[in-house]
Amino acid sequence: MLNYLIRRLLVMIPTLLVISLITFILIQLPPGDYLTTYIAELQSQGEAVDPAKIQFLRDQYGLDKPLWEQYLVWLWGMLHGDFGWSFEYQLPVSEVIGDRLLLSIILSFSTILFTWIVAFPIGVYSAVRRYSAGDHILTIIGFLGIATPNFLLALVLLYLSNRWFGISIGGLMDPIYLDQPWSGAKFISVVQHLIVPTLVIGLAGTAGMIRRLRANLLDELHKPYVTTARAKGLPARRVLLKYPLRMALNPFIADIGNLLPQMISGATIVSVVMSLPTTGPMLLAALQSQDMYLAGSFLFFLALLTVVGVLVSDIALAALDPRIRLGGPGGA
């Protein structure tokens, strides 16, 4: 295991370097830069543009340097915890992210927790009680959850809450706590406002996970080793928990590589609709305004979490499934 971890960590270094280079190239692909967008915005508003000021800003932000030099400066800064300067917010990127990153992690973690807690018992019940009345009812509910866009559900809930109760369920905290330091009251407000976004974002994922778990578990329950275990007289619960359920969980453990970056990107459309102060809308705005260091830092974080998530999922799969080996012929 130790040798496997060392090899994977050593491979991660060049992988992240290549990812950082690709990320920098991607954010440089659109024509122009932030100042080009800024000039176009001023001109559309009928304001005069001072060429001397624009040139000063280019010199100050290093936009007049060759791309390879800009990349090296950005990479060297990231290695020292400096992710660059946000042109849009006129602040260091690390300060701009701030509470938005924490709120995104809290929202995503609660969504993942809600999805797993709800999906697992329902998926197991549907597989064990296949074609029962409960299975049919849960299947219909699952299809409705998959077919309903989460942003549409968010709009419906916003309308109904305002129409029936005269309240707004948008945001992740009461307005009085915006831009305020963290306190017990602010944390309680965040927890109270998490319920609706968690339900909206997690509904489709929960429905999809129920269907996948049901299909995987049904496939395992019809394999010869389960028939043999039943023939030996093992209790039904032990037969279910010993191997079939563990094998059915493999795809979900493998999805950890996708779950970690989702904690940063989140459900961007739902965040915009419900005015959630998460990182998703900020990333979208950074890409639109060509705030390259802010957008590049977000994209690099997503790639880093994906690489780390894949490593974690590989290790978890090896612990969960005895058929998987980390070394030797056919190893992971």
Side-chain angles (χ1 to χ4, degrees):
M1 174 66 78
L2 180 60
N3 291 334
Y4 174 78
L5 288 176
I6 294 175
R7 292 200 309 269
R8 288 295 297 267
L9 291 174
L10 292 177
V11 170
M12 286 173 59
I13 296 175
T15 301
L16 291 175
L17 287 176
V18 173
I19 289 174
S20 68
L21 177 60
I22 295 175
T23 299
F24 189 81
I25 293 175
L26 288 176
I27 61 178
Q28 294 288 349
L29 282 179
D33 50 34
Y34 173 79
L35 292 180
T36 305
T37 306
Y38 177 67
I39 292 171
E41 182 179 349
L42 290 179
Q43 291 176 341
S44 65
Q45 297 173 356
E47 299 184 21
V49 179
D50 185 358
K53 179 181 178 181
I54 296 301
Q55 185 59 43
F56 170 77
L57 292 175
R58 288 190 182 278
D59 295 339
Q60 182 179 8
Y61 295 142
L63 299 178
D64 58 334
K65 297 179 181 179
L67 291 181
W68 64 268
E69 187 173 348
Q70 293 183 41
Y71 167 71
L72 292 179
V73 170
W74 179 58
L75 180 62
W76 181 254
M78 285 198 300
L79 294 175
H80 292 79
D82 179 10
F83 296 95
W85 184 266
S86 172
F87 306 140
E88 182 76 16
Y89 295 91
Q90 295 297 304
L91 288 170
V93 170
S94 56
E95 294 184 17
V96 172
I97 296 175
D99 284 351
R100 286 181 177 262
L101 181 60
L102 177 60
L103 290 173
S104 296
I105 293 175
I106 293 175
L107 176 59
S108 298
F109 180 77
S110 64
T111 302
I112 293 171
L113 194 62
F114 166 79
T115 300
W116 284 51
I117 290 177
V118 174
F120 278 138
I122 295 177
V124 172
Y125 174 84
S126 295
V128 175
R129 305 292 184 182
R130 184 175 56 158
Y131 302 143
S132 65
D135 180 30
H136 287 304
I137 294 173
L138 293 172
T139 298
I140 294 174
I141 296 176
F143 285 145
L144 290 175
I146 295 174
T148 304
N150 48 18
F151 71 89
L152 178 60
L153 179 61
L155 288 172
V156 171
L157 292 178
L158 286 171
Y159 171 77
L160 294 179
S161 65
N162 185 63
R163 180 68 179 272
W164 291 352
F165 305 105
I167 61 174
S168 174
I169 57 175
L172 279 180
M173 65 186 73
D174 292 329
I176 60 174
Y177 296 114
L178 294 175
D179 301 323
Q180 295 294 322
W182 281 93
S183 62
K186 182 175 181 178
F187 178 77
I188 293 174
S189 178
V190 170
V191 173
Q192 292 173 341
H193 283 73
L194 274 177
I195 298 175
V196 175
T198 298
L199 177 63
V200 170
I201 299 174
L203 182 62
T206 302
M209 182 173 289
I210 290 173
R211 303 306 303 164
R212 291 175 60 193
L213 180 57
R214 180 182 184 275
N216 292 340
L217 188 53
L218 281 174
D219 181 61
E220 291 294 329
L221 289 175
H222 287 84
K223 290 187 176 179
Y225 73 88
V226 177
T227 303
T228 302
R230 288 172 176 167
K232 290 182 177 180
L234 293 178
R237 178 176 296 181
R238 186 176 179 185
V239 172
L240 175 65
L241 299 179
K242 183 64 176 179
Y243 290 116
L245 185 57
R246 291 172 60 186
M247 301 304 102
L249 294 181
N250 282 5
F252 304 103
I253 302 300
D255 276 351
I256 293 177
N258 295 325
L259 291 177
L260 290 182
Q262 286 177 8
M263 297 181 72
I264 302 297
S265 61
T268 302
I269 299 179
V270 174
S271 297
V272 172
V273 171
M274 301 191 69
S275 302
L276 304 179
T278 57
T279 55
M282 180 179 285
L283 172 58
L284 179 61
L287 293 171
Q288 291 174 334
S289 65
Q290 293 185 268
D291 194 348
M292 61 182 193
Y293 292 121
L294 181 58
S297 297
F298 270 125
L299 295 176
F300 183 76
F301 287 156
L302 296 178
L304 174 62
L305 289 175
T306 301
V307 173
V308 173
V310 170
L311 175 62
V312 172
S313 66
D314 287 347
I315 296 174
L317 281 173
L320 182 70
D321 191 341
R323 297 172 300 181
I324 297 176
R325 295 291 178 266
L326 298 179

